[in-house]
Amino acid sequence: MHNLIVDNKSLLKVLRNAACQVGLGKAIAQIRLLKSLTVKGAIEMSLAKRRYLTRITKVRPISAGEGTIEVHMLLHHKRIYEGLWALYSFAYFCDQPCRIVVHSDGSLTDVDVTLLKNLFLQCQVIDRQKSDSVVSSYFRNQGMLKCEQLRQQYVHVMKLFDPFFFVIISPLFP
């Protein structure tokens, strides 16, 4: 009997590991979330997001061109309004002026950039093509090929390299 319990535990452990490796846990969580929302709930959520998140475009603009604090954000088009809210909230409640720099992951549109520049006066938006060419050429010149490869392979690695690069090295690149 004891051996049967141990075997069941080890079998469950093997099954859990296999499920994690194929991403089954995330899929099950998504299915549960969708079931809990229902079609009506999903529609209401979508409408609420559109109604409330877009209100950020109606607020008073904030100066974001200079300050002792520098905030960098890697932003994706689908999350533009969440990004606007986060940056605005930080800048509004911060006790001192801050400089805002937004790094595009390559998906930001001209409309997104206009929203950012209208809401955050003098903020800097670094587009993906410029950052790719400047950072990649720097990595190649310095022999940092693994860094270049890692940055090209995973978009989130831009969060590690680009803010430091554009703060420290950017004066070298107009």
Side-chain angles (χ1 to χ4, degrees):
M1 181 72 172
H2 180 70
N3 288 342
L4 185 62
I5 293 172
V6 171
D7 289 341
N8 283 341
K9 284 183 181 179
S10 59
L11 177 62
L12 283 173
K13 187 175 182 179
V14 168
L15 288 174
R16 264 193 218 111
N17 288 340
C20 286
Q21 287 178 356
V22 297
L24 190 60
K26 289 180 183 178
I28 290 171
Q30 284 288 75
I31 290 168
R32 285 183 182 157
L33 176 65
L34 290 174
K35 282 182 179 178
S36 70
L37 284 178
T38 69
V39 173
K40 181 183 175 196
I43 291 170
E44 288 174 358
M45 176 77 76
S46 179
L47 291 173
K49 279 185 174 182
R50 183 174 294 148
R51 182 179 307 127
Y52 298 118
L53 285 179
T54 57
R55 287 187 182 176
I56 190 69
T57 61
K58 307 287 189 244
V59 299
R60 183 179 54 85
I62 292 179
S63 178
E66 47 186 62
T68 55
I69 298 174
E70 187 164 295
V71 179
H72 288 254
M73 178 181 274
L74 177 63
L75 198 52
H76 181 72
H77 169 72
K78 287 185 180 180
R79 296 287 176 246
I80 185 69
Y81 291 107
E82 289 91 337
L84 292 172
W85 275 103
L87 288 170
Y88 194 89
S89 176
F90 182 85
Y92 184 84
F93 289 106
C94 188
D95 287 340
Q96 44 192 307
C98 59
R99 180 171 179 254
I100 294 177
V101 181
V102 175
H103 301 263
S104 173
D105 71 344
S107 66
L108 293 183
T109 65
D110 291 339
V111 173
D112 298 335
V113 173
T114 302
L115 282 172
L116 285 159
K117 292 198 177 246
N118 287 342
L119 192 57
F120 306 107
L121 306 176
Q122 299 99 29
C123 82
Q124 183 180 2
V125 180
I126 302 172
D127 70 45
R128 178 70 187 262
Q129 285 181 321
K130 178 184 176 188
S131 67
D132 280 351
S133 68
V134 171
V135 175
S136 291
S137 67
Y138 179 82
F139 284 155
R140 272 186 250 119
N141 290 339
Q142 298 299 315
M144 302 168 75
L145 301 179
K146 293 286 188 186
C147 291
E148 178 188 6
Q149 185 180 35
L150 185 66
R151 187 179 175 277
Q152 287 175 355
Q153 195 171 10
Y154 301 104
V155 70
H156 290 95
V157 173
M158 289 175 66
K159 290 181 185 182
L160 298 173
F161 292 124
D162 291 26
F164 299 106
F165 183 88
F166 284 96
V167 168
I168 296 168
I169 309 216
S170 65
L172 303 176
F173 299 95

PDB file of all heavy atoms in Angstrom, residues 117-149:
ATOM      1  N   LYS A 117       3.587  62.036 -26.891  1.00  0.00           N
ATOM      2  CA  LYS A 117       4.175  63.379 -26.937  1.00  0.00           C
ATOM      3  C   LYS A 117       3.181  64.460 -26.530  1.00  0.00           C
ATOM      4  O   LYS A 117       3.583  65.495 -26.011  1.00  0.00           O
ATOM      5  CB  LYS A 117       4.744  63.644 -28.320  1.00  0.00           C
ATOM      6  CG  LYS A 117       5.949  62.760 -28.589  1.00  0.00           C
ATOM      7  CD  LYS A 117       6.778  63.273 -29.722  1.00  0.00           C
ATOM      8  CE  LYS A 117       7.985  62.398 -29.876  1.00  0.00           C
ATOM      9  NZ  LYS A 117       9.208  63.075 -29.568  1.00  0.00           N
ATOM     10  N   ASN A 118       1.881  64.229 -26.751  1.00  0.00           N
ATOM     11  CA  ASN A 118       0.867  65.197 -26.317  1.00  0.00           C
ATOM     12  C   ASN A 118       0.653  65.155 -24.813  1.00  0.00           C
ATOM     13  O   ASN A 118       0.355  66.169 -24.194  1.00  0.00           O
ATOM     14  CB  ASN A 118      -0.464  64.951 -27.028  1.00  0.00           C
ATOM     15  CG  ASN A 118      -0.430  65.368 -28.479  1.00  0.00           C
ATOM     16  OD1 ASN A 118       0.430  66.135 -28.902  1.00  0.00           O
ATOM     17  ND2 ASN A 118      -1.350  64.848 -29.262  1.00  0.00           N
ATOM     18  N   LEU A 119       0.779  63.986 -24.224  1.00  0.00           N
ATOM     19  CA  LEU A 119       0.542  63.826 -22.794  1.00  0.00           C
ATOM     20  C   LEU A 119       1.785  64.151 -21.973  1.00  0.00           C
ATOM     21  O   LEU A 119       1.693  64.730 -20.894  1.00  0.00           O
ATOM     22  CB  LEU A 119       0.079  62.397 -22.504  1.00  0.00           C
ATOM     23  CG  LEU A 119      -0.479  62.120 -21.132  1.00  0.00           C
ATOM     24  CD1 LEU A 119      -1.662  63.025 -20.828  1.00  0.00           C
ATOM     25  CD2 LEU A 119      -0.907  60.667 -21.029  1.00  0.00           C
ATOM     26  N   PHE A 120       2.955  63.787 -22.490  1.00  0.00           N
ATOM     27  CA  PHE A 120       4.220  64.014 -21.795  1.00  0.00           C
ATOM     28  C   PHE A 120       5.082  64.944 -22.640  1.00  0.00           C
ATOM     29  O   PHE A 120       5.791  64.499 -23.542  1.00  0.00           O
ATOM     30  CB  PHE A 120       4.938  62.687 -21.540  1.00  0.00           C
ATOM     31  CG  PHE A 120       4.095  61.692 -20.824  1.00  0.00           C
ATOM     32  CD1 PHE A 120       3.583  60.592 -21.483  1.00  0.00           C
ATOM     33  CD2 PHE A 120       3.778  61.868 -19.490  1.00  0.00           C
ATOM     34  CE1 PHE A 120       2.787  59.675 -20.819  1.00  0.00           C
ATOM     35  CE2 PHE A 120       2.981  60.962 -18.818  1.00  0.00           C
ATOM     36  CZ  PHE A 120       2.478  59.862 -19.486  1.00  0.00           C
ATOM     37  N   LEU A 121       4.986  66.226 -22.348  1.00  0.00           N
ATOM     38  CA  LEU A 121       5.695  67.228 -23.132  1.00  0.00           C
ATOM     39  C   LEU A 121       7.201  66.999 -23.043  1.00  0.00           C
ATOM     40  O   LEU A 121       7.739  66.788 -21.964  1.00  0.00           O
ATOM     41  CB  LEU A 121       5.325  68.620 -22.628  1.00  0.00           C
ATOM     42  CG  LEU A 121       3.824  68.911 -22.583  1.00  0.00           C
ATOM     43  CD1 LEU A 121       3.568  70.270 -21.972  1.00  0.00           C
ATOM     44  CD2 LEU A 121       3.202  68.800 -23.960  1.00  0.00           C
ATOM     45  N   GLN A 122       7.855  67.033 -24.164  1.00  0.00           N
ATOM     46  CA  GLN A 122       9.299  66.834 -24.320  1.00  0.00           C
ATOM     47  C   GLN A 122       9.769  65.419 -23.955  1.00  0.00           C
ATOM     48  O   GLN A 122      10.952  65.199 -23.720  1.00  0.00           O
ATOM     49  CB  GLN A 122      10.132  67.837 -23.489  1.00  0.00           C
ATOM     50  CG  GLN A 122       9.938  69.273 -23.825  1.00  0.00           C
ATOM     51  CD  GLN A 122       8.986  69.952 -22.866  1.00  0.00           C
ATOM     52  OE1 GLN A 122       8.875  69.585 -21.708  1.00  0.00           O
ATOM     53  NE2 GLN A 122       8.277  70.948 -23.353  1.00  0.00           N
ATOM     54  N   CYS A 123       8.870  64.462 -23.893  1.00  0.00           N
ATOM     55  CA  CYS A 123       9.343  63.090 -23.631  1.00  0.00           C
ATOM     56  C   CYS A 123      10.077  62.590 -24.872  1.00  0.00           C
ATOM     57  O   CYS A 123       9.851  63.063 -25.977  1.00  0.00           O
ATOM     58  CB  CYS A 123       8.196  62.160 -23.246  1.00  0.00           C
ATOM     59  SG  CYS A 123       7.256  61.488 -24.617  1.00  0.00           S
ATOM     60  N   GLN A 124      10.941  61.641 -24.659  1.00  0.00           N
ATOM     61  CA  GLN A 124      11.707  61.065 -25.763  1.00  0.00           C
ATOM     62  C   GLN A 124      11.127  59.696 -26.084  1.00  0.00           C
ATOM     63  O   GLN A 124      10.939  58.865 -25.189  1.00  0.00           O
ATOM     64  CB  GLN A 124      13.177  60.943 -25.375  1.00  0.00           C
ATOM     65  CG  GLN A 124      14.058  60.431 -26.481  1.00  0.00           C
ATOM     66  CD  GLN A 124      15.516  60.319 -26.050  1.00  0.00           C
ATOM     67  OE1 GLN A 124      15.868  60.583 -24.909  1.00  0.00           O
ATOM     68  NE2 GLN A 124      16.358  59.918 -26.970  1.00  0.00           N
ATOM     69  N   VAL A 125      10.830  59.461 -27.364  1.00  0.00           N
ATOM     70  CA  VAL A 125      10.361  58.155 -27.814  1.00  0.00           C
ATOM     71  C   VAL A 125      11.416  57.606 -28.763  1.00  0.00           C
ATOM     72  O   VAL A 125      11.719  58.218 -29.791  1.00  0.00           O
ATOM     73  CB  VAL A 125       8.986  58.247 -28.526  1.00  0.00           C
ATOM     74  CG1 VAL A 125       8.540  56.866 -28.984  1.00  0.00           C
ATOM     75  CG2 VAL A 125       7.945  58.874 -27.609  1.00  0.00           C
ATOM     76  N   ILE A 126      11.984  56.470 -28.393  1.00  0.00           N
ATOM     77  CA  ILE A 126      13.041  55.857 -29.200  1.00  0.00           C
ATOM     78  C   ILE A 126      12.423  54.721 -29.996  1.00  0.00           C
ATOM     79  O   ILE A 126      11.946  53.740 -29.420  1.00  0.00           O
ATOM     80  CB  ILE A 126      14.182  55.335 -28.307  1.00  0.00           C
ATOM     81  CG1 ILE A 126      14.758  56.484 -27.485  1.00  0.00           C
ATOM     82  CG2 ILE A 126      15.247  54.657 -29.149  1.00  0.00           C
ATOM     83  CD1 ILE A 126      15.743  56.061 -26.432  1.00  0.00           C
ATOM     84  N   ASP A 127      12.421  54.872 -31.315  1.00  0.00           N
ATOM     85  CA  ASP A 127      11.808  53.813 -32.126  1.00  0.00           C
ATOM     86  C   ASP A 127      12.748  52.620 -32.258  1.00  0.00           C
ATOM     87  O   ASP A 127      13.956  52.717 -32.054  1.00  0.00           O
ATOM     88  CB  ASP A 127      11.344  54.333 -33.488  1.00  0.00           C
ATOM     89  CG  ASP A 127      12.469  54.691 -34.441  1.00  0.00           C
ATOM     90  OD1 ASP A 127      13.429  53.922 -34.564  1.00  0.00           O
ATOM     91  OD2 ASP A 127      12.378  55.751 -35.078  1.00  0.00           O
ATOM     92  N   ARG A 128      12.158  51.495 -32.565  1.00  0.00           N
ATOM     93  CA  ARG A 128      12.877  50.223 -32.571  1.00  0.00           C
ATOM     94  C   ARG A 128      13.989  50.191 -33.611  1.00  0.00           C
ATOM     95  O   ARG A 128      15.077  49.679 -33.357  1.00  0.00           O
ATOM     96  CB  ARG A 128      11.872  49.080 -32.802  1.00  0.00           C
ATOM     97  CG  ARG A 128      12.477  47.688 -32.876  1.00  0.00           C
ATOM     98  CD  ARG A 128      12.996  47.254 -31.510  1.00  0.00           C
ATOM     99  NE  ARG A 128      13.707  46.015 -31.570  1.00  0.00           N
ATOM    100  CZ  ARG A 128      13.197  44.835 -31.268  1.00  0.00           C
ATOM    101  NH1 ARG A 128      11.952  44.733 -30.887  1.00  0.00           N
ATOM    102  NH2 ARG A 128      13.932  43.751 -31.344  1.00  0.00           N
ATOM    103  N   GLN A 129      13.719  50.750 -34.801  1.00  0.00           N
ATOM    104  CA  GLN A 129      14.739  50.711 -35.852  1.00  0.00           C
ATOM    105  C   GLN A 129      15.999  51.471 -35.435  1.00  0.00           C
ATOM    106  O   GLN A 129      17.110  50.999 -35.629  1.00  0.00           O
ATOM    107  CB  GLN A 129      14.190  51.291 -37.156  1.00  0.00           C
ATOM    108  CG  GLN A 129      13.235  50.366 -37.866  1.00  0.00           C
ATOM    109  CD  GLN A 129      12.730  50.983 -39.157  1.00  0.00           C
ATOM    110  OE1 GLN A 129      12.473  52.177 -39.219  1.00  0.00           O
ATOM    111  NE2 GLN A 129      12.578  50.154 -40.176  1.00  0.00           N
ATOM    112  N   LYS A 130      15.799  52.647 -34.852  1.00  0.00           N
ATOM    113  CA  LYS A 130      16.958  53.442 -34.422  1.00  0.00           C
ATOM    114  C   LYS A 130      17.718  52.722 -33.318  1.00  0.00           C
ATOM    115  O   LYS A 130      18.948  52.605 -33.365  1.00  0.00           O
ATOM    116  CB  LYS A 130      16.516  54.816 -33.925  1.00  0.00           C
ATOM    117  CG  LYS A 130      17.682  55.641 -33.436  1.00  0.00           C
ATOM    118  CD  LYS A 130      17.254  56.960 -32.842  1.00  0.00           C
ATOM    119  CE  LYS A 130      18.460  57.682 -32.286  1.00  0.00           C
ATOM    120  NZ  LYS A 130      18.112  58.871 -31.540  1.00  0.00           N
ATOM    121  N   SER A 131      16.986  52.226 -32.322  1.00  0.00           N
ATOM    122  CA  SER A 131      17.672  51.559 -31.214  1.00  0.00           C
ATOM    123  C   SER A 131      18.377  50.293 -31.689  1.00  0.00           C
ATOM    124  O   SER A 131      19.482  50.007 -31.252  1.00  0.00           O
ATOM    125  CB  SER A 131      16.717  51.260 -30.062  1.00  0.00           C
ATOM    126  OG  SER A 131      15.767  50.297 -30.414  1.00  0.00           O
ATOM    127  N   ASP A 132      17.744  49.546 -32.593  1.00  0.00           N
ATOM    128  CA  ASP A 132      18.389  48.337 -33.119  1.00  0.00           C
ATOM    129  C   ASP A 132      19.688  48.676 -33.826  1.00  0.00           C
ATOM    130  O   ASP A 132      20.719  48.040 -33.594  1.00  0.00           O
ATOM    131  CB  ASP A 132      17.459  47.599 -34.096  1.00  0.00           C
ATOM    132  CG  ASP A 132      16.410  46.765 -33.398  1.00  0.00           C
ATOM    133  OD1 ASP A 132      16.482  46.605 -32.162  1.00  0.00           O
ATOM    134  OD2 ASP A 132      15.495  46.267 -34.094  1.00  0.00           O
ATOM    135  N   SER A 133      19.648  49.685 -34.701  1.00  0.00           N
ATOM    136  CA  SER A 133      20.861  49.994 -35.462  1.00  0.00           C
ATOM    137  C   SER A 133      21.960  50.531 -34.563  1.00  0.00           C
ATOM    138  O   SER A 133      23.115  50.113 -34.670  1.00  0.00           O
ATOM    139  CB  SER A 133      20.547  50.989 -36.590  1.00  0.00           C
ATOM    140  OG  SER A 133      20.207  52.244 -36.061  1.00  0.00           O
ATOM    141  N   VAL A 134      21.625  51.419 -33.643  1.00  0.00           N
ATOM    142  CA  VAL A 134      22.641  52.024 -32.785  1.00  0.00           C
ATOM    143  C   VAL A 134      23.211  51.004 -31.798  1.00  0.00           C
ATOM    144  O   VAL A 134      24.430  50.863 -31.665  1.00  0.00           O
ATOM    145  CB  VAL A 134      22.056  53.253 -32.050  1.00  0.00           C
ATOM    146  CG1 VAL A 134      23.008  53.760 -30.992  1.00  0.00           C
ATOM    147  CG2 VAL A 134      21.728  54.350 -33.046  1.00  0.00           C
ATOM    148  N   VAL A 135      22.330  50.282 -31.106  1.00  0.00           N
ATOM    149  CA  VAL A 135      22.797  49.341 -30.080  1.00  0.00           C
ATOM    150  C   VAL A 135      23.532  48.163 -30.726  1.00  0.00           C
ATOM    151  O   VAL A 135      24.591  47.748 -30.241  1.00  0.00           O
ATOM    152  CB  VAL A 135      21.625  48.858 -29.203  1.00  0.00           C
ATOM    153  CG1 VAL A 135      22.073  47.797 -28.224  1.00  0.00           C
ATOM    154  CG2 VAL A 135      20.998  50.034 -28.454  1.00  0.00           C
ATOM    155  N   SER A 136      22.994  47.633 -31.808  1.00  0.00           N
ATOM    156  CA  SER A 136      23.651  46.495 -32.478  1.00  0.00           C
ATOM    157  C   SER A 136      25.032  46.888 -33.003  1.00  0.00           C
ATOM    158  O   SER A 136      25.985  46.120 -32.878  1.00  0.00           O
ATOM    159  CB  SER A 136      22.784  45.967 -33.617  1.00  0.00           C
ATOM    160  OG  SER A 136      21.630  45.359 -33.109  1.00  0.00           O
ATOM    161  N   SER A 137      25.139  48.068 -33.602  1.00  0.00           N
ATOM    162  CA  SER A 137      26.456  48.476 -34.114  1.00  0.00           C
ATOM    163  C   SER A 137      27.446  48.674 -32.964  1.00  0.00           C
ATOM    164  O   SER A 137      28.616  48.321 -33.086  1.00  0.00           O
ATOM    165  CB  SER A 137      26.348  49.740 -34.965  1.00  0.00           C
ATOM    166  OG  SER A 137      25.991  50.842 -34.176  1.00  0.00           O
ATOM    167  N   TYR A 138      26.959  49.194 -31.845  1.00  0.00           N
ATOM    168  CA  TYR A 138      27.837  49.350 -30.680  1.00  0.00           C
ATOM    169  C   TYR A 138      28.313  47.982 -30.185  1.00  0.00           C
ATOM    170  O   TYR A 138      29.507  47.797 -29.921  1.00  0.00           O
ATOM    171  CB  TYR A 138      27.104  50.091 -29.562  1.00  0.00           C
ATOM    172  CG  TYR A 138      27.944  50.271 -28.330  1.00  0.00           C
ATOM    173  CD1 TYR A 138      28.871  51.301 -28.250  1.00  0.00           C
ATOM    174  CD2 TYR A 138      27.842  49.397 -27.259  1.00  0.00           C
ATOM    175  CE1 TYR A 138      29.667  51.470 -27.117  1.00  0.00           C
ATOM    176  CE2 TYR A 138      28.621  49.554 -26.123  1.00  0.00           C
ATOM    177  CZ  TYR A 138      29.529  50.587 -26.062  1.00  0.00           C
ATOM    178  OH  TYR A 138      30.308  50.736 -24.949  1.00  0.00           O
ATOM    179  N   PHE A 139      27.382  47.029 -30.060  1.00  0.00           N
ATOM    180  CA  PHE A 139      27.750  45.686 -29.604  1.00  0.00           C
ATOM    181  C   PHE A 139      28.765  45.053 -30.557  1.00  0.00           C
ATOM    182  O   PHE A 139      29.727  44.435 -30.124  1.00  0.00           O
ATOM    183  CB  PHE A 139      26.524  44.782 -29.484  1.00  0.00           C
ATOM    184  CG  PHE A 139      25.682  45.054 -28.258  1.00  0.00           C
ATOM    185  CD1 PHE A 139      24.330  44.733 -28.251  1.00  0.00           C
ATOM    186  CD2 PHE A 139      26.218  45.604 -27.108  1.00  0.00           C
ATOM    187  CE1 PHE A 139      23.549  44.962 -27.131  1.00  0.00           C
ATOM    188  CE2 PHE A 139      25.453  45.838 -25.981  1.00  0.00           C
ATOM    189  CZ  PHE A 139      24.117  45.517 -25.991  1.00  0.00           C
ATOM    190  N   ARG A 140      28.528  45.188 -31.865  1.00  0.00           N
ATOM    191  CA  ARG A 140      29.456  44.608 -32.841  1.00  0.00           C
ATOM    192  C   ARG A 140      30.838  45.256 -32.725  1.00  0.00           C
ATOM    193  O   ARG A 140      31.853  44.557 -32.748  1.00  0.00           O
ATOM    194  CB  ARG A 140      28.909  44.756 -34.257  1.00  0.00           C
ATOM    195  CG  ARG A 140      28.016  43.593 -34.637  1.00  0.00           C
ATOM    196  CD  ARG A 140      27.585  43.651 -36.097  1.00  0.00           C
ATOM    197  NE  ARG A 140      26.148  43.967 -36.055  1.00  0.00           N
ATOM    198  CZ  ARG A 140      25.576  45.041 -36.568  1.00  0.00           C
ATOM    199  NH1 ARG A 140      26.305  45.920 -37.233  1.00  0.00           N
ATOM    200  NH2 ARG A 140      24.294  45.256 -36.451  1.00  0.00           N
ATOM    201  N   ASN A 141      30.869  46.583 -32.612  1.00  0.00           N
ATOM    202  CA  ASN A 141      32.155  47.294 -32.509  1.00  0.00           C
ATOM    203  C   ASN A 141      32.920  46.908 -31.247  1.00  0.00           C
ATOM    204  O   ASN A 141      34.148  46.916 -31.235  1.00  0.00           O
ATOM    205  CB  ASN A 141      31.944  48.807 -32.535  1.00  0.00           C
ATOM    206  CG  ASN A 141      31.492  49.296 -33.891  1.00  0.00           C
ATOM    207  OD1 ASN A 141      31.689  48.629 -34.900  1.00  0.00           O
ATOM    208  ND2 ASN A 141      30.868  50.461 -33.920  1.00  0.00           N
ATOM    209  N   GLN A 142      32.202  46.598 -30.195  1.00  0.00           N
ATOM    210  CA  GLN A 142      32.840  46.237 -28.927  1.00  0.00           C
ATOM    211  C   GLN A 142      33.074  44.728 -28.798  1.00  0.00           C
ATOM    212  O   GLN A 142      33.574  44.274 -27.776  1.00  0.00           O
ATOM    213  CB  GLN A 142      31.974  46.713 -27.751  1.00  0.00           C
ATOM    214  CG  GLN A 142      31.784  48.205 -27.687  1.00  0.00           C
ATOM    215  CD  GLN A 142      33.102  48.948 -27.527  1.00  0.00           C
ATOM    216  OE1 GLN A 142      33.947  48.568 -26.726  1.00  0.00           O
ATOM    217  NE2 GLN A 142      33.288  50.006 -28.296  1.00  0.00           N
ATOM    218  N   GLY A 143      32.661  43.954 -29.809  1.00  0.00           N
ATOM    219  CA  GLY A 143      32.838  42.499 -29.764  1.00  0.00           C
ATOM    220  C   GLY A 143      31.872  41.807 -28.811  1.00  0.00           C
ATOM    221  O   GLY A 143      32.139  40.705 -28.340  1.00  0.00           O
ATOM    222  N   MET A 144      30.756  42.441 -28.539  1.00  0.00           N
ATOM    223  CA  MET A 144      29.760  41.889 -27.608  1.00  0.00           C
ATOM    224  C   MET A 144      28.658  41.170 -28.406  1.00  0.00           C
ATOM    225  O   MET A 144      27.480  41.520 -28.336  1.00  0.00           O
ATOM    226  CB  MET A 144      29.173  43.019 -26.758  1.00  0.00           C
ATOM    227  CG  MET A 144      30.235  43.766 -25.965  1.00  0.00           C
ATOM    228  SD  MET A 144      29.636  45.296 -25.229  1.00  0.00           S
ATOM    229  CE  MET A 144      28.663  44.658 -23.881  1.00  0.00           C
ATOM    230  N   LEU A 145      29.063  40.162 -29.162  1.00  0.00           N
ATOM    231  CA  LEU A 145      28.150  39.488 -30.086  1.00  0.00           C
ATOM    232  C   LEU A 145      27.053  38.706 -29.368  1.00  0.00           C
ATOM    233  O   LEU A 145      25.924  38.617 -29.850  1.00  0.00           O
ATOM    234  CB  LEU A 145      28.939  38.585 -31.026  1.00  0.00           C
ATOM    235  CG  LEU A 145      30.000  39.324 -31.867  1.00  0.00           C
ATOM    236  CD1 LEU A 145      30.756  38.351 -32.750  1.00  0.00           C
ATOM    237  CD2 LEU A 145      29.380  40.436 -32.677  1.00  0.00           C
ATOM    238  N   LYS A 146      27.366  38.149 -28.205  1.00  0.00           N
ATOM    239  CA  LYS A 146      26.351  37.414 -27.437  1.00  0.00           C
ATOM    240  C   LYS A 146      25.253  38.368 -26.944  1.00  0.00           C
ATOM    241  O   LYS A 146      24.081  38.020 -26.930  1.00  0.00           O
ATOM    242  CB  LYS A 146      26.977  36.676 -26.250  1.00  0.00           C
ATOM    243  CG  LYS A 146      27.891  35.548 -26.646  1.00  0.00           C
ATOM    244  CD  LYS A 146      27.097  34.370 -27.130  1.00  0.00           C
ATOM    245  CE  LYS A 146      28.029  33.189 -27.341  1.00  0.00           C
ATOM    246  NZ  LYS A 146      27.369  32.070 -27.943  1.00  0.00           N
ATOM    247  N   CYS A 147      25.663  39.553 -26.541  1.00  0.00           N
ATOM    248  CA  CYS A 147      24.672  40.553 -26.107  1.00  0.00           C
ATOM    249  C   CYS A 147      23.769  40.941 -27.269  1.00  0.00           C
ATOM    250  O   CYS A 147      22.547  41.045 -27.118  1.00  0.00           O
ATOM    251  CB  CYS A 147      25.367  41.795 -25.554  1.00  0.00           C
ATOM    252  SG  CYS A 147      26.221  41.526 -24.000  1.00  0.00           S
ATOM    253  N   GLU A 148      24.364  41.169 -28.425  1.00  0.00           N
ATOM    254  CA  GLU A 148      23.582  41.523 -29.611  1.00  0.00           C
ATOM    255  C   GLU A 148      22.603  40.403 -29.969  1.00  0.00           C
ATOM    256  O   GLU A 148      21.427  40.647 -30.236  1.00  0.00           O
ATOM    257  CB  GLU A 148      24.509  41.806 -30.797  1.00  0.00           C
ATOM    258  CG  GLU A 148      23.749  42.140 -32.063  1.00  0.00           C
ATOM    259  CD  GLU A 148      24.642  42.235 -33.281  1.00  0.00           C
ATOM    260  OE1 GLU A 148      25.852  41.925 -33.191  1.00  0.00           O
ATOM    261  OE2 GLU A 148      24.121  42.607 -34.338  1.00  0.00           O
ATOM    262  N   GLN A 149      23.090  39.177 -29.936  1.00  0.00           N
ATOM    263  CA  GLN A 149      22.262  38.022 -30.267  1.00  0.00           C
ATOM    264  C   GLN A 149      21.105  37.869 -29.271  1.00  0.00           C
ATOM    265  O   GLN A 149      19.964  37.638 -29.659  1.00  0.00           O
ATOM    266  CB  GLN A 149      23.132  36.767 -30.274  1.00  0.00           C
ATOM    267  CG  GLN A 149      22.423  35.520 -30.708  1.00  0.00           C
ATOM    268  CD  GLN A 149      23.373  34.325 -30.672  1.00  0.00           C
ATOM    269  OE1 GLN A 149      24.253  34.235 -29.813  1.00  0.00           O
ATOM    270  NE2 GLN A 149      23.186  33.411 -31.608  1.00  0.00           N
TER     271      GLN A 149
END
